[in-house]
Amino acid sequence: MAQSTETRSLAPRLGAWVEDGTSVRWRVWAPGHQQVEAVLYDADDRVLRTLPLTPEADGCFGGVLAGQGEGLRYKLRVDGADPFPDPWSRSQPAGVHGPSEVVVSDHGWTDSHWKGPDPKSLVIYEVHVGTATPEGTFEAFIPKLAHLRELGVNTLELLPVASFPGARNWGYDGVDLFAPQATYGGPKGLRRLIDAAHSHGIAVLIDAVYNHFGPDGNYLGAYSPHYFTKKHHTPWGDAVNYDGEGSHFVRSLVLSNVEMWIRDYHADGLRLDAAHALVDDGQPHLLAEIVERAHAAGNGRRVVVFAEDERNERKLVTPVKDGGYGLDGVWADDLHHQLRRAFAGDHEGYYQDYTGSAEDIATTLRQGWFYQGQKSKNLGHARGTSSEGLAPWHFVHCIQNHDQVGNRPFGNRLSEDVSPAAYRAMSTLLLLSPFTPMLFMGQEWNSRTPFLYFTDHNAELGRLVTEGRRKEFSGFSRFKGEQVPDPQDRDTFTRSTLDWAEVEGPQHAGVHALYKELLRLRATEPVLTNPRGTHDARALGPDAFVLERRAEGDTVLIIVNLRGSLVHALPSRASAGIVVWSESPRFGGTVEASPLTGNLVRLEGPCAAVVKLRE
């Protein structure tokens, strides 16, 4: 039976924190247990003493230790068993199996001027901290912020940074939601990165995983049987318990975490992982509460919340007052899939649901997503709802992201599967569309660095992950007979480290120049920046299409040719000029001559021409 709104009150504060600057207070939720103790450690992980905690209401245990503060390390012992880390820990300096550490939120912030991002004008740059630089830390990425600012990026999205097992992971195996990964630089490193980003005018989003928790280092079950439920199931097993007995504490785990990222770390919002797998039959739905808490935690700053969700469900971005969840935006992968089918020929798995035809790409551009209730061959049932009336900025589009690169067996970048000309054409469409564009790190110079799937689990779990990864791709015809890289091999991780030396290389400088020009145009061209502007898209025969952006009587056309030859006549009554030509030598192309002659646009092979019309 679903819980009512009245029973969904926020649980008391849990974890350990400094109180009045002179003592540390603990509160632990351990219903059904008789005894909880805090076991204190020194810096060398040697036990110093044990502090019994006192039973409190609702299955909690609490206690205070005077004369202690930030840096105190501890574990929790339940009913005399082995001590484990605190699942509400704010820091895990020795990893997810080591002692927890008490931290404070003081930083000496310099971003008091920062007002937060405009959700209607985001250009998102997705980063995996561990492979973005050779050092793989928050602070090592700070010098790269100037590159992003000059490129035209205004939002940095960090793949999950909550503590995960080992030193190498995508982050989706996190188990300590409140503790920034120690090998990345921990709490202090993350605060320094966000503070520096704001000084560059760049917002920071945290990728948060609330649909499941990782298996290694997950000690939630040692404290309470109510963190998970058999009532619902997900691809990762039993679902997190958001609507059953004891769920108000579990919901508090998430809602307190949401508030922490924004309040204590000054993050500008969240990207929610796989929201379709976040199961909650009660009211209000957890997603709506996440959005409410996130916006409120900004304390006057603008905060945004996006979700990855495969359902194409308009309710996600519909305001709460109209019966929705109120998210600011949603990842919409249909355009990515259509373009990969068109330019790279992908056709297995979910790609079988897409034709990549000019007509279907144009439909996707008109709607934001393609599936609006049609039956999916891959899923075997109908998928999607109408997007009519939804503003384009609610849809996050990409031509690469960590999933679409890293979930290929060899971590192939898009550049491995499409021609340089096709890459430039796809990039032009992405960055000049009315939708919110997202880049995956290195995309702006057409990086050739792979992004592989890597882990650093214990030997037994690691063996299972390796076997599962190779089995996953055994049924794909193009990968048969090839050995998928071992996720546990350190080389798999190091091969994924971004090579920033490529940026000015002869094969990359042109693409980098194209991205800078496109993002400059996106930010300054009146037709593209006008909030009252409209857009439309249509096929120009079987192998080409045009995206039209219109405002104040002017029109910008993004004409994309998939293959073959195109001759397209523009309206004779309008004056026309080329704004961007993807095959210009300055962008790495080989065609010096303009594709526009009079009112005719002539295109050959994969390419894109951006034309401005004036009536």
Side-chain angles (χ1 to χ4, degrees), residues 201-215:
I202 297 173
V204 179
L205 308 182
I206 303 291
D207 193 339
V209 186
Y210 300 134
N211 54 73
H212 76 287
F213 307 132

Side-chain angles (χ1 to χ4, degrees), residues 525-573:
E525 166 54 51
V527 175
L528 306 183
T529 59
N530 193 317
R532 294 180 297 277
T534 60
H535 80 282
D536 195 8
R538 66 183 185 279
L540 302 175
D543 297 320
F545 60 90
V546 59
L547 171 63
E548 293 189 6
R549 304 283 307 273
R550 298 183 291 266
E552 302 294 337
D554 291 337
T555 302
V556 169
L557 305 178
I558 300 96
I559 304 170
V560 178
N561 199 45
L562 302 176
R563 63 190 67 84
S565 301
L566 172 73
V567 179
H568 177 61
L570 303 174
S572 57
R573 66 182 183 279

Side-chain angles (χ1 to χ4, degrees), residues 518-529:
L518 292 171
L519 288 175
R520 184 198 65 79
L521 190 64
R522 183 182 182 91
T524 59
E525 166 54 51
V527 175
L528 306 183
T529 59

Side-chain angles (χ1 to χ4, degrees), residues 593-608:
S594 170
L596 178 64
T597 304
N599 73 326
L600 293 180
V601 176
R602 293 182 171 86
L603 304 180
E604 187 71 34
C607 59

